[in-house]
Amino acid sequence: MTIEATEPAIPRMTNWWFQHARSIAGQRTTLIAGVIFLAVIAYCALWPAVAPYGANDVEFSRNVEGPSLSHPLGTDRFGRDLFTRLAEGGRTSLAITALALGVILMIGVIYGTIAAVAGGKVDAAMMRLLDGLFAIPRLPVAIVILVALRLDAQNVQTIAFALSIMGWMLTARLVRGQVLAVKSREHVRAARAIGAGWAHVARRHLIPNSAGIILIAVLLELPTVVLGEAFLAVLGLGPDPPTATWGNIAQDGLHFGRLWEMFLPSAVIAVFALSANLLVDGIHDALDPRRR
């Protein structure tokens, strides 16, 4: 009698995502939050391309108008359409956020994976370093970086770098915990037993099986980065005019005493951040087997 060795069956990632997507869709609050979250992104991405006005089209004869059919949210002091400008500002703010999150994910995933794989004293030392970095406030560091790198014109890349340089620690801690859990699973031990190196194991097993926690880390950091960009813009450290961001529009409204113009981007930021937080709560519940 011959005994054939068979590799343990591992659930397909597509089935895994499909099952959890159904679980998320069954939560009404999470579903509504997801729809609002995607609606804000779609508005910022699509409206500037089809809008009858450009974000920087100046028309002094129609400045400081209230909401109307031609300008649903009114105009600013230069006669620029606020509905279009809000979408264009969101596009810039989300571009800054995307770049910052990319840097945060890259550093956090690499750092957390190395700490979990190394284990022992290396892991302990890396986590103690992480604890120390957590004590450093993020926004003051971003302000120092932007002041130190002050150029003739602030750009998206500089602001994204300043917001991300101290924002990767939570992602690193979350990824490290998930990788430690995945590291002890049978298919990882089997891969190591047949001679697979840790680099291959991390690329093939550890990081793909941490996709859920990485998504949660992204949604946790997203509101912080968006609010950080707005705060820097209010301090005058955002992209220079006439570039529109949510923070720049709010800063203009604050500076010139236009409460409506200050309220609009603030409300969009609040709705976007709240929907992201509700969405991450729902995803966390769906991924947590104890809650299921």
Side-chain angles (χ1 to χ4, degrees):
M1 181 178 65
T2 60
I3 301 176
E4 296 182 359
T6 59
E7 185 178 354
I10 302 173
R12 292 180 180 272
M13 290 297 291
T14 52
N15 293 340
W16 185 86
W17 281 109
F18 179 72
Q19 291 172 2
H20 289 90
R22 290 178 58 188
S23 176
I24 293 170
Q27 304 176 44
R28 180 176 298 179
T29 303
T30 304
L31 187 60
I32 294 173
V35 170
I36 294 173
F37 181 83
L38 294 177
V40 172
I41 294 176
Y43 160 65
C44 296
L46 301 178
W47 179 251
V50 299
Y53 310 99
N56 294 315
D57 288 352
V58 175
E59 191 176 355
F60 286 107
S61 62
R62 307 198 67 172
N63 68 323
V64 197
E65 284 189 355
S68 63
L69 290 178
S70 56
H71 299 284
L73 297 179
T75 61
D76 65 3
R77 62 195 179 97
F78 294 111
R80 296 175 295 193
D81 180 58
L82 283 176
F83 191 71
T84 303
R85 193 159 173 80
L86 196 64
E88 184 66 30
R91 181 183 284 188
T92 307
S93 294
L94 292 179
I96 293 172
T97 302
L99 288 175
L101 288 177
V103 176
I104 288 172
L105 282 184
M106 182 180 67
I107 299 175
V109 169
I110 292 174
Y111 191 96
T113 303
I114 291 175
V117 168
K121 294 182 178 180
V122 175
D123 180 29
M126 293 178 73
M127 288 301 102
R128 297 298 74 75
L129 175 61
L130 208 60
D131 292 339
L133 292 175
F134 264 118
I136 301 175
R138 295 172 58 169
L139 283 177
V141 172
I143 293 171
V144 170
I145 291 173
L146 289 176
V147 172
L149 299 177
R150 186 66 180 175
L151 307 175
D152 292 335
Q154 290 288 6
N155 54 49
V156 169
Q157 293 83 0
T158 305
I159 297 170
F161 172 77
L163 288 170
S164 63
I165 199 65
M166 293 300 295
W168 53 270
M169 283 83 74
L170 177 61
T171 301
R173 186 175 290 280
L174 291 174
V175 170
R176 180 245 183 191
Q178 180 66 19
V179 169
L180 281 176
V182 176
K183 182 181 172 184
S184 62
R185 293 179 183 172
E186 291 183 359
H187 63 279
V188 175
R189 293 203 300 266
R192 288 289 294 161
I194 62 175
W198 276 119
H200 173 79
V201 170
R203 187 175 62 254
R204 179 68 177 83
H205 299 291
L206 300 181
I207 295 177
N209 281 283
S210 302
I213 204 69
I214 292 173
L215 177 60
I216 289 175
V218 169
L219 291 174
L220 282 173
E221 290 294 339
L222 190 147
T224 304
V225 176
V226 172
L227 290 169
E229 182 277 323
F231 182 77
L232 292 175
V234 170
L235 294 179
L237 295 173
D240 291 336
T243 303
T245 70
W246 285 335
N248 277 355
I249 297 172
Q251 195 270 345
D252 284 345
L254 177 65
H255 183 73
F256 294 102
R258 292 266 293 155
L259 296 180
W260 174 248
E261 192 174 336
M262 182 178 65
F263 168 78
L264 289 174
S266 302
V268 174
I269 291 172
V271 169
F272 190 68
L274 180 60
S275 63
N277 283 329
L278 292 175
L279 190 58
V280 75
D281 284 342
I283 293 174
H284 180 263
D285 291 346
L287 296 180
D288 190 346
R290 292 170 298 181
R291 302 201 178 197
R292 293 201 307 273

